[in-house]
Amino acid sequence: MSETNPAATAPVTADAAPHRYTAAMAAEIEARWQDFWDAEGTYAAPNPKGDLAGDPELVARPKKFIMDMFPYPSGAGLHVGHPLGYIATDVFARFQRMTGHNVLHTLGFDAFGLPAEQYAVQTGTHPRASTEANMKNMVSQLRRLGLGHDKRRSFATIDPEYYKWTQWIFLQIFNSWYDDEAKRARPISELVAQFDSGERAVPGGGTWSALTEAERADLLGEYRLAYASDAPVNWCPGLGTVLANEEVTADGRSERGNFPVFKSKLRQWNMRITAYADRLLDDLDQLDWPEAIKLQQRNWIGRSEGARVDFPVDGERITVFTTRPDTLFGATYMVLAPEHPLVEKFTPAAWPEGTRDAWTGGHATPTEAVAAYRAQAASKSDVERQAEAKDKTGVFIGAYATNPVNGEQVPVFVADYVLMGYGTGAIMAVPAGDQRDFEFARAFELPIRCIVEPTDGRGTDPSTWESAFASYDAKIMNSSNDEVSLDGLGVVEAKERITEWLERTGAGAGTVNFRLRDWLFSRQRYWGEPFPIVYDEDGIAHPLPASMLPLELPEVEDYSPRTFDPDDADTKPETPLSRNEDWVHVTLDLGDGRGPRRYRRETNTMPNWAGSCWYELRYLDPHNSEQLVDPEIEQYWMGPREGLPHGGVDLYVGGAEHAVLHLLYARFWSKVLFDLGHVSSAEPFHKLFNQGMIQAYVYRDSRGIAVPAAEVEERDGAYFHGGEKVSRLLGKMGKSLKNAVTPDEICAEYGADTLRLYEMAMGPLDVSRPWDTRAVVGQFRLLQRLWRNVVDENTGRLSVADVAETDVDADTLRALHKAIDGVRQDLEGMRFNTAIAKVTELNNHLTKVGGPVPRPVAERLVLLVAPLAPHVAEELWRNLGHTSSVVHEDFPVADPAYVVDETVTCVVQIKGKVKARLEVSPSVSEEDLEKAALADEKVVAALGGAGIRKVIVRAPKLVNIVPA
Ligand code: ANZ
């Protein structure tokens, strides 16, 4: 059977009863209420002030800001997997509205980025044109779902009025520095004042006033939170752009496009996110996020405690970072990363006497050997270099360093297993304790000294070992000099003692190292925010004054990126904006007292992450053209309060794939804006929830090519496409796998309320689940029964019994109040699937009882359904005679008198004789019942200390105990 064959469901839509709930009726009801809600502004959330100010009674309520990760308007449109999260937040938002909150819920578009540009290149359409067409399509798809968005607050990141503020934030970041003592960002002008007054020494001596403009710019560049630098960056010739570390996969390829990525030295913009490493780590503790995401952020930030140790070399020194300073006595050689800036300085013209052949790589001089090795290392990715299994390569640079702890001369190598981007780019090698060092030492005939007592029986002679020995439980040995002895200590104590010695003698110090690198912030793209930066004739960067924002993207003839042979590491990026000479070269008066001058614009653009770094703030005050966000409005929706120590959005729902990209970047921007006093919230998203994925079956023919799922037929448990047998596997849903089901199809067949219910009923929200079009009808039938319980299908008239609650039978009242209690708790806890199960149960109960449903029950049933299936609820609510929207009604509250479980009597027998009776819940588990029976006084007494051979439990009514 086809997955979306309309014939399969025809019987439920073609119907005799003229007022039955059908797809056609759903379509009519849904369109009508959607128009009504739009016209009435039903979902408008009032601000405390400004252009969106509104009903003071609503403003006075506690607020809830409920947000989705906004979509990228892809040309493929939505499939039923996309709205899963949007429906969930909508249900939750509606529930919050009905429980006394002022709820902000809206949706915008993240619309800069690569796909639009690639599509533009393929088709010759301008990225703006295709992006806008895609957004239009998505807006209508989303509208059909009846999402209760405050549409006044929607925007796209490509709107100049929006990216004006993205650029403005860039300028704030550019114009600030991180004060390590105060542990916060401060305006760069305050740093200048410190240099100028002498309060802070100008590095290298001299005074601020004696520095040239270029020298000042360079010095400030060392401090600015947004800075340009020439560091090695991830260059991806296949995409024609540089990438952030977060955009490079574990095997050294671009996350998008899967092209090789190389390290290349290019002048690029960076964000000094590393300054915030500690705070980004610490504040995680207070966020209500899934542990898995917190862990990914912690690992990405990668805090390592250890020590910095200096190894003298000819009056200079090599500084290493180690997490194991306790193994210093076992350091028998050193390694510098091939790119380490000191390599040249320490490499002599000739091999020193006694150099082993194995160390030279067959080269006549150290200079030659190092040059050849560097060239070889440059062609490898970091991951290839670090691979545990690979043969260790390297060359001796012809120099020796002094191990500070024992004065030994240890040879210095370059080897690619040491990375420039981590620690200090140099290590002390301890072959006995580190496997990579062990393998290297074996390959290069270097000494291996046993400095921890192996606990695995291998003995203390490393020449007999097959691997390094690593354990935190072992004791240190062979590790003492005249001043310090680590022998016999455990690792933790030894670390402390040696660190203290290093600090006392000045040979080193305890330190913390982070894995996190600064965020590479420029891209060689057209379709992104232009940088509000110009360069003067001396190449000094100047920020544009805020009055010149937004700096709009110019129209260009050719917006395609220049891409290259994906494997050619020696290529250089070219920015599309640089092709527009008139835009690039300008005469401007920056208002800095220098008058009009010639400038060259920055032609890189910002990465597509920029726009999503602060969008939650724009939702608050979307039309503000004077300020980023009005402080009072920001404080109202985002400010810290009880349960929200750093403030932020109350609920943020989206995919788990953004753990270290968007979520880390957005937290960083928040903290900078907080430090600079622009916002009161130091965290953007207090509670995060990751929804699961909707999966779909992928059908493949014998060649492994996906065939359209809608054309596949099932016969006797096998699947066929055009007569050919095909395989079936669960996978992603999407155009490329030819298994996409669109919300439009389902809405046409059943209506949006059914789609909403089905998506919410499929399983717990955080779990992935397979889509099954054939199962959707189950929720449609629920709505039909609901309808039938309130409206007469033949006359279309209300069919409820106008009686008082006191006249309702006790069973029904119990069913009602239990449902209210359960649904309330489930909606609050985002367990939408179990909430639907409880609504279904109540509805079935009413069907079973038969007769007209008492009005007090019918009304509350409709209210319970309202967050989940808002259109049908609104329609029934009005049918019940109400004149105001169900959206703002109060959610029912259960009467506790009916919620307490009834009990049943459980008989406890010993050897078949009744010894006790227990009152227990009818749903008691066998385990609990057994425990309760064995703990009962009478049972204990009757057993009289005898052991138990067997307990037979038949919950909830019987426990039979057989004594030993
Ligand atoms: C001596 C030592 C002895 C080390 C031992 C380990 C075990 P984490 O935990 O990830 O911070 N290291 C330091 N910088 C490096 C670089 N740029 N490239 C490759 N390796 C580097 O790892 C820190 C450890 O990784 C450091 O501690 C250093 O080796 C190595 F039994 O120093 B260790």
Side-chain angles (χ1 to χ4, degrees):
M1 193 170 68
S2 113
E3 295 276 312
T4 54
N5 179 0
T9 54
V12 297
T13 48
D15 218 292
H19 298 280
R20 178 161 295 183
Y21 183 81
T22 59
M25 185 194 276
E28 189 276 322
I29 291 175
E30 291 173 1
R32 182 155 41 79
W33 287 118
Q34 283 163 13
D35 289 344
F36 175 86
W37 293 329
D38 275 357
E40 293 287 305
T42 305
Y43 304 107
N47 275 348
K49 65 181 280 205
D51 68 326
L52 302 187
D55 186 356
E57 191 278 319
L58 264 182
V59 174
R61 296 179 177 193
K63 63 90 188 183
K64 286 277 176 195
F65 184 3
I66 297 165
M67 209 173 127
D68 299 280
M69 290 188 186
F70 63 173
Y72 178 79
S74 131
L78 298 178
H79 60 60
V80 289
H82 294 116
L84 180 67
Y86 307 152
I87 296 173
T89 51
D90 190 54
V91 173
F92 190 71
R94 287 171 183 277
F95 174 68
Q96 295 298 333
R97 243 179 237 118
M98 294 176 78
T99 51
H101 298 92
N102 186 18
V103 175
L104 198 173
H105 187 43
T106 187
L107 194 73
F109 291 93
D110 189 13
F112 275 127
L114 221 51
E117 195 162 86
Q118 278 166 346
Y119 182 75
V121 174
Q122 281 160 20
T123 61
T125 6
H126 192 284
R128 178 172 294 281
S130 61
T131 307
E132 276 171 0
N134 294 346
M135 285 197 287
K136 220 173 132 203
N137 178 39
M138 258 181 155
V139 164
S140 80
Q141 281 190 300
L142 290 168
R143 186 173 189 275
R144 184 70 189 83
L145 302 176
L147 302 171
H149 292 156
D150 183 347
K151 292 181 183 163
R152 306 168 305 167
R153 297 176 184 264
S154 181
F155 59 84
T157 51
I158 56 172
D159 300 342
E161 278 315 300
Y162 178 76
Y163 71 68
K164 162 182 171 175
W165 294 105
T166 310
Q167 291 170 331
W168 183 86
I169 296 172
F170 176 86
L171 293 179
Q172 304 306 304
I173 300 175
F174 175 80
N175 280 322
S176 56
W177 61 293
Y178 199 80
D179 181 339
D180 283 321
E181 266 158 46
K183 296 203 185 313
R184 65 179 179 88
R186 295 173 61 182
I188 197 85
S189 55
E190 296 179 13
L191 180 71
V192 171
Q194 288 188 0
F195 281 133
D196 202 17
S197 69
E199 181 190 336
R200 181 181 289 262
V202 172
T207 60
W208 177 253
S209 55
L211 297 181
T212 64
E213 214 196 323
E215 285 167 341
R216 289 178 183 181
D218 282 348
L219 176 56
L220 294 181
E222 301 286 313
Y223 290 85
R224 291 184 191 276
L225 289 180
Y227 64 97
S229 87
D230 291 305
V233 295
N234 305 304
W235 163 232
C236 179
L239 288 176
T241 185
V242 297
L243 297 169
N245 286 355
E246 290 81 3
E247 293 169 310
V248 180
T249 63
D251 40 52
R253 301 177 76 91
S254 61
E255 194 162 57
R256 268 190 187 278
N258 196 31
F259 293 112
V261 172
F262 303 93
K263 283 276 181 239
S264 182
K265 235 179 163 188
L266 295 166
R267 190 158 185 86
Q268 298 292 331
W269 284 94
N270 292 275
M271 292 262 166
R272 210 178 293 281
I273 189 171
T274 49
Y276 283 85
D278 263 324
R279 281 167 63 189
L280 287 170
L281 204 58
D282 292 347
D283 290 354
L284 272 179
D285 294 344
Q286 310 235 28
L287 298 182
D288 184 359
W289 285 19
E291 265 318 305
I293 301 279
K294 287 191 184 183
L295 189 65
Q296 282 185 66
Q297 287 217 351
R298 285 193 188 106
N299 289 343
W300 187 260
I301 296 167
R303 187 177 195 275
S304 287
E305 271 182 42
R308 197 174 49 62
V309 185
D310 293 335
F311 283 63
V313 188
D314 298 339
E316 297 267 351
R317 60 176 181 229
I318 298 174
T319 304
V320 304
F321 168 70
T322 174
T323 45
R324 296 292 307 276
D326 55 302
T327 62
L328 192 48
F329 286 90
T332 53
Y333 69 101
M334 299 189 77
V335 182
L336 299 176
E339 308 85 353
H340 198 291
L342 288 176
V343 172
E344 269 131 42
K345 186 173 249 163
F346 293 150
T347 305
W351 294 116
E353 219 169 297
T355 299
R356 304 207 191 162
D357 286 346
W359 296 1
T360 63
H363 291 280
T365 65
T367 325
E368 248 182 67
V370 165
Y373 191 76
R374 284 181 144 184
Q376 179 193 327
S379 66
K380 289 191 198 154
S381 75
D382 282 2
V383 181
E384 284 167 352
R385 287 172 52 164
Q386 287 249 297
E388 286 276 344
K390 90 174 196 18
D391 286 341
K392 297 289 169 287
T393 62
V395 286
F396 179 45
I397 70 166
Y400 288 85
T402 311
N403 184 340
V405 84
N406 55 16
E408 264 177 30
Q409 294 294 296
V410 295
V412 180
F413 286 75
V414 283
D416 63 9
Y417 74 95
V418 172
L419 303 177
M420 194 55 223
Y422 190 71
T424 60
I427 65 158
M428 63 180 210
V430 183
D434 182 289
Q435 185 58 22
R436 292 167 305 176
D437 298 346
F438 182 86
E439 287 165 20
F440 191 92
R442 276 284 155 86
F444 289 82
E445 300 163 17
L446 290 156
I448 302 176
R449 185 169 309 137
C450 181
I451 32 85
V452 277
E453 273 175 53
T455 48
D456 58 0
R458 62 166 75 193
T460 55
D461 176 6
S463 70
T464 65
W465 295 0
E466 276 165 20
S467 62
F469 175 76
S471 165
Y472 266 74
D473 299 324
K475 300 232 176 310
I476 306 290
M477 61 184 282
N478 287 339
S479 296
S480 52
N481 63 24
D482 294 348
E483 295 164 15
V484 63
S485 172
L486 310 180
D487 294 339
L489 297 181
V491 170
V492 176
E493 284 170 296
K495 273 190 184 186
E496 271 170 29
R497 188 163 306 173
I498 192 73
T499 304
E500 186 198 286
W501 179 84
L502 287 169
E503 287 175 357
R504 183 151 35 89
T505 58
T511 184
V512 174
N513 187 58
F514 291 94
R515 187 174 169 269
L516 183 69
R517 300 290 91 169
D518 280 343
W519 172 19
L520 185 104
F521 195 71
S522 34
R523 298 291 181 280
Q524 290 71 50
R525 292 284 150 192
Y526 171 71
W527 196 226
E529 299 87 349
F531 280 81
I533 290 284
V534 290
Y535 299 93
D536 65 20
E537 276 147 3
D538 299 320
I540 296 173
H542 297 267
L544 291 182
S547 61
M548 285 187 189
L549 303 184
L551 171 61
E552 293 201 35
L553 261 180
E555 292 304 318
V556 296
E557 286 280 297
D558 176 12
Y559 33 73
S560 44
R562 170 102 191 269
T563 57
F564 303 87
D565 172 358
D567 296 310
D568 189 352
D570 293 331
T571 46
K572 289 261 176 292
E574 179 188 298
T575 55
L577 289 183
S578 67
R579 298 176 200 141
N580 186 337
E581 291 284 319
D582 290 349
W583 182 80
V584 175
H585 299 283
V586 282
T587 302
L588 298 171
D589 183 345
L590 300 180
D592 52 2
R594 295 155 37 120
R597 287 193 173 209
R598 289 294 286 168
Y599 293 99
R600 177 173 53 83
R601 290 196 195 276
E602 170 63 62
T603 61
N604 283 295
T605 53
M606 298 187 198
N608 59 322
W609 307 107
S612 55
C613 271
W614 72 280
Y615 71 120
E616 72 284 358
L617 297 173
R618 189 66 177 173
Y619 285 148
L620 308 179
D621 193 9
H623 312 124
N624 199 334
S625 56
E626 301 303 312
Q627 267 175 306
L628 179 72
V629 53
D630 182 282
E632 193 184 327
I633 297 174
E634 187 274 335
Q635 162 70 44
Y636 176 83
W637 290 110
M638 295 276 287
R641 60 202 67 190
E642 209 191 316
L644 253 75
H646 296 289
V649 171
D650 297 271
L651 174 67
Y652 191 36
V653 173
E657 66 277 13
H658 294 298
V660 294
L661 288 151
H662 160 59
L663 289 171
L664 196 62
Y665 299 152
R667 293 185 62 214
F668 163 55
W669 277 35
S670 260
K671 292 194 181 304
V672 179
L673 291 173
F674 170 80
D675 285 356
L676 298 176
H678 300 300
V679 295
S680 67
S681 47
E683 286 285 343
F685 314 116
H686 175 70
K687 180 181 168 91
L688 175 72
F689 191 97
N690 298 126
Q691 87 275 19
M693 286 238 290
I694 289 192
Q695 299 165 312
Y697 287 110
V698 187
Y699 299 90
R700 294 181 191 274
D701 63 17
S702 54
R703 295 165 301 166
I705 293 175
V707 301
E711 296 167 12
V712 171
E713 293 181 8
E714 182 186 344
R715 265 179 266 142
D716 305 327
Y719 301 92
F720 296 89
H721 179 252
E724 193 199 341
K725 199 167 168 193
V726 291
S727 67
R728 186 180 90 150
L729 262 183
L730 211 49
K732 265 188 147 177
M733 184 178 281
K735 253 194 173 167
S736 60
L737 295 172
K738 302 195 187 128
N739 60 0
V741 177
T742 65
D744 316 50
E745 291 166 52
I746 303 297
C747 287
E749 215 166 321
Y750 300 106
D753 281 335
T754 296
L755 173 65
R756 293 170 60 107
L757 278 180
Y758 176 66
E759 296 220 355
M760 293 299 97
M762 285 169 85
L765 186 61
D766 54 349
V767 173
S768 293
R769 66 288 297 281
W771 177 264
D772 181 5
T773 296
R774 283 167 296 177
V776 178
V777 69
Q779 297 304 325
F780 182 70
R781 295 215 171 101
L782 168 64
L783 292 180
Q784 284 190 315
R785 283 195 300 273
L786 169 72
W787 184 261
R788 209 180 292 142
N789 275 331
V790 185
V791 176
D792 185 315
E793 287 188 333
N794 291 309
T795 63
R797 262 184 261 135
L798 200 62
S799 65
V800 300
D802 271 309
V803 296
E805 182 157 355
T806 43
D807 295 328
V808 178
D809 71 281
D811 262 2
T812 298
L813 284 180
R814 241 191 318 270
L816 171 68
H817 287 283
K818 274 186 144 174
I820 293 174
D821 183 54
V823 171
R824 238 190 133 90
Q825 289 182 36
D826 286 348
L827 292 184
E828 185 65 57
M830 297 177 71
R831 294 180 299 274
F832 305 118
N833 56 328
T834 54
I836 293 171
K838 285 168 187 149
V839 167
T840 310
E841 212 176 297
L842 173 62
N843 200 46
N844 289 349
H845 170 89
L846 298 174
T847 307
K848 205 172 74 199
V849 170
V853 174
R855 173 177 280 276
V857 182
E859 295 213 328
R860 275 171 287 180
L861 175 62
V862 168
L863 293 170
L864 290 186
V865 169
L868 294 152
H871 310 87
V872 72
E874 187 82 290
E875 181 75 8
L876 290 173
W877 189 245
R878 302 303 174 117
N879 276 342
L880 282 160
H882 297 281
T883 50
S884 57
S885 171
V886 74
V887 170
H888 291 288
E889 283 301 319
D890 287 338
F891 202 78
V893 180
D895 179 343
Y898 293 101
V899 176
V900 283
D901 259 334
E902 328 120 78
T903 55
V904 290
T905 308
C906 172
V907 174
V908 186
Q909 302 178 336
I910 295 178
K911 283 201 262 180
K913 286 204 184 110
V914 177
K915 295 289 173 189
R917 284 174 213 278
L918 308 172
E919 289 303 305
V920 297
S921 151
S923 59
V924 68
S925 71
E926 303 216 324
E927 233 180 9
D928 289 348
L929 191 56
E930 176 174 336
K931 266 192 223 149
L934 293 175
D936 186 84
E937 275 178 31
K938 288 189 198 131
V939 174
V940 173
L943 282 170
I948 294 164
R949 192 147 64 91
K950 207 160 140 198
V951 182
I952 300 152
V953 185
R954 296 278 175 272
K957 297 218 161 132
L958 176 75
V959 177
N960 193 0
I961 300 167
V962 185

Short mmCIF file of all heavy atoms in Angstrom, two decimals, residues 169-188:
data_model
loop_
_atom_site.label_atom_id
_atom_site.label_comp_id
_atom_site.label_asym_id
_atom_site.label_seq_id
_atom_site.Cartn_x
_atom_site.Cartn_y
_atom_site.Cartn_z
N ILE A 169 26.13 45.31 16.80
CA ILE A 169 26.71 44.45 17.84
C ILE A 169 28.16 44.13 17.50
O ILE A 169 29.03 44.14 18.37
CB ILE A 169 25.89 43.14 18.03
CG1 ILE A 169 24.48 43.47 18.52
CG2 ILE A 169 26.59 42.20 19.01
CD1 ILE A 169 23.54 42.27 18.55
N PHE A 170 28.43 43.88 16.21
CA PHE A 170 29.82 43.65 15.82
C PHE A 170 30.69 44.83 16.29
O PHE A 170 31.77 44.65 16.83
CB PHE A 170 29.95 43.45 14.31
CG PHE A 170 31.38 43.32 13.87
CD1 PHE A 170 32.02 42.09 13.89
CD2 PHE A 170 32.12 44.44 13.49
CE1 PHE A 170 33.36 41.96 13.55
CE2 PHE A 170 33.47 44.33 13.15
CZ PHE A 170 34.09 43.09 13.17
N LEU A 171 30.18 46.03 16.08
CA LEU A 171 30.96 47.21 16.49
C LEU A 171 31.15 47.26 18.00
O LEU A 171 32.21 47.67 18.49
CB LEU A 171 30.27 48.50 16.00
CG LEU A 171 30.26 48.69 14.49
CD1 LEU A 171 29.53 49.99 14.14
CD2 LEU A 171 31.68 48.71 13.92
N GLN A 172 30.13 46.86 18.75
CA GLN A 172 30.29 46.82 20.22
C GLN A 172 31.40 45.86 20.59
O GLN A 172 32.21 46.12 21.48
CB GLN A 172 29.00 46.36 20.92
CG GLN A 172 27.77 47.14 20.60
CD GLN A 172 27.97 48.62 20.84
OE1 GLN A 172 28.33 49.04 21.93
NE2 GLN A 172 27.77 49.41 19.81
N ILE A 173 31.41 44.72 19.91
CA ILE A 173 32.41 43.69 20.23
C ILE A 173 33.80 44.18 19.81
O ILE A 173 34.77 44.04 20.54
CB ILE A 173 32.02 42.35 19.57
CG1 ILE A 173 30.65 41.89 20.08
CG2 ILE A 173 33.07 41.28 19.84
CD1 ILE A 173 30.10 40.63 19.41
N PHE A 174 33.84 44.80 18.63
CA PHE A 174 35.10 45.36 18.15
C PHE A 174 35.62 46.42 19.12
O PHE A 174 36.81 46.49 19.42
CB PHE A 174 34.88 45.97 16.76
CG PHE A 174 36.07 46.69 16.18
CD1 PHE A 174 37.11 45.99 15.59
CD2 PHE A 174 36.15 48.09 16.24
CE1 PHE A 174 38.21 46.65 15.07
CE2 PHE A 174 37.25 48.75 15.72
CZ PHE A 174 38.29 48.04 15.13
N ASN A 175 34.71 47.21 19.63
CA ASN A 175 35.10 48.32 20.50
C ASN A 175 35.19 47.93 21.97
O ASN A 175 34.98 48.77 22.84
CB ASN A 175 34.13 49.48 20.32
CG ASN A 175 34.47 50.28 19.07
OD1 ASN A 175 35.65 50.47 18.75
ND2 ASN A 175 33.46 50.71 18.34
N SER A 176 35.44 46.67 22.25
CA SER A 176 35.60 46.30 23.65
C SER A 176 36.75 45.31 23.83
O SER A 176 37.27 44.75 22.87
CB SER A 176 34.29 45.77 24.22
OG SER A 176 33.84 44.69 23.46
N TRP A 177 37.14 45.13 25.05
CA TRP A 177 38.24 44.23 25.41
C TRP A 177 37.84 43.52 26.69
O TRP A 177 36.91 43.93 27.38
CB TRP A 177 39.54 45.03 25.64
CG TRP A 177 39.43 46.03 26.75
CD1 TRP A 177 38.65 47.15 26.76
CD2 TRP A 177 40.09 46.00 28.02
NE1 TRP A 177 38.78 47.83 27.95
CE2 TRP A 177 39.66 47.15 28.75
CE3 TRP A 177 41.01 45.14 28.62
CZ2 TRP A 177 40.13 47.44 30.03
CZ3 TRP A 177 41.47 45.43 29.89
CH2 TRP A 177 41.03 46.57 30.59
N TYR A 178 38.54 42.43 26.98
CA TYR A 178 38.18 41.66 28.16
C TYR A 178 39.16 41.98 29.29
O TYR A 178 40.36 41.79 29.15
CB TYR A 178 38.22 40.16 27.86
CG TYR A 178 37.43 39.37 28.87
CD1 TYR A 178 36.04 39.29 28.78
CD2 TYR A 178 38.05 38.73 29.94
CE1 TYR A 178 35.29 38.59 29.71
CE2 TYR A 178 37.31 38.03 30.88
CZ TYR A 178 35.93 37.97 30.75
OH TYR A 178 35.18 37.28 31.68
N ASP A 179 38.61 42.47 30.36
CA ASP A 179 39.43 42.79 31.53
C ASP A 179 39.51 41.53 32.39
O ASP A 179 38.52 41.14 33.02
CB ASP A 179 38.75 43.94 32.30
CG ASP A 179 39.57 44.36 33.52
OD1 ASP A 179 40.39 43.54 34.00
OD2 ASP A 179 39.37 45.48 34.00
N ASP A 180 40.67 40.88 32.38
CA ASP A 180 40.81 39.60 33.09
C ASP A 180 40.62 39.74 34.59
O ASP A 180 40.24 38.79 35.26
CB ASP A 180 42.18 38.98 32.81
CG ASP A 180 42.22 38.36 31.43
OD1 ASP A 180 41.20 37.74 31.05
OD2 ASP A 180 43.24 38.49 30.74
N GLU A 181 40.95 40.93 35.10
CA GLU A 181 40.78 41.11 36.55
C GLU A 181 39.32 41.29 36.91
O GLU A 181 38.80 40.64 37.81
CB GLU A 181 41.58 42.30 37.04
CG GLU A 181 42.95 41.86 37.53
CD GLU A 181 43.96 42.98 37.51
OE1 GLU A 181 43.61 44.09 37.99
OE2 GLU A 181 45.06 42.75 37.00
N ALA A 182 38.65 42.16 36.17
CA ALA A 182 37.23 42.39 36.45
C ALA A 182 36.39 41.24 35.91
O ALA A 182 35.21 41.13 36.23
CB ALA A 182 36.78 43.70 35.83
N LYS A 183 37.00 40.41 35.08
CA LYS A 183 36.31 39.27 34.45
C LYS A 183 35.07 39.70 33.66
O LYS A 183 34.00 39.11 33.77
CB LYS A 183 35.92 38.21 35.48
CG LYS A 183 37.12 37.55 36.15
CD LYS A 183 36.76 36.20 36.71
CE LYS A 183 37.90 35.56 37.49
NZ LYS A 183 39.20 35.61 36.80
N ARG A 184 35.27 40.76 32.88
CA ARG A 184 34.17 41.18 32.01
C ARG A 184 34.69 42.06 30.88
O ARG A 184 35.82 42.58 30.96
CB ARG A 184 33.10 41.93 32.80
CG ARG A 184 33.57 43.23 33.37
CD ARG A 184 32.44 43.94 34.12
NE ARG A 184 32.94 45.19 34.68
CZ ARG A 184 32.94 46.35 34.03
NH1 ARG A 184 32.48 46.43 32.79
NH2 ARG A 184 33.40 47.44 34.62
N ALA A 185 33.86 42.19 29.86
CA ALA A 185 34.22 43.06 28.75
C ALA A 185 34.03 44.51 29.17
O ALA A 185 33.15 44.83 29.97
CB ALA A 185 33.33 42.76 27.55
N ARG A 186 34.91 45.36 28.65
CA ARG A 186 34.79 46.80 28.92
C ARG A 186 35.04 47.54 27.61
O ARG A 186 35.69 47.02 26.71
CB ARG A 186 35.85 47.23 29.95
CG ARG A 186 35.64 46.60 31.32
CD ARG A 186 36.78 46.92 32.26
NE ARG A 186 36.93 48.34 32.50
CZ ARG A 186 37.89 48.87 33.26
NH1 ARG A 186 38.78 48.07 33.85
NH2 ARG A 186 37.97 50.16 33.45
N PRO A 187 34.56 48.78 27.52
CA PRO A 187 34.80 49.55 26.29
C PRO A 187 36.30 49.75 26.07
O PRO A 187 37.06 49.97 27.03
CB PRO A 187 34.11 50.88 26.57
CG PRO A 187 33.11 50.59 27.63
CD PRO A 187 33.69 49.50 28.46
N ILE A 188 36.72 49.67 24.83
CA ILE A 188 38.14 49.77 24.50
C ILE A 188 38.68 51.14 24.90
O ILE A 188 39.86 51.30 25.21
CB ILE A 188 38.38 49.47 22.99
CG1 ILE A 188 39.84 49.14 22.70
CG2 ILE A 188 37.92 50.61 22.11
CD1 ILE A 188 40.22 47.73 22.91
#
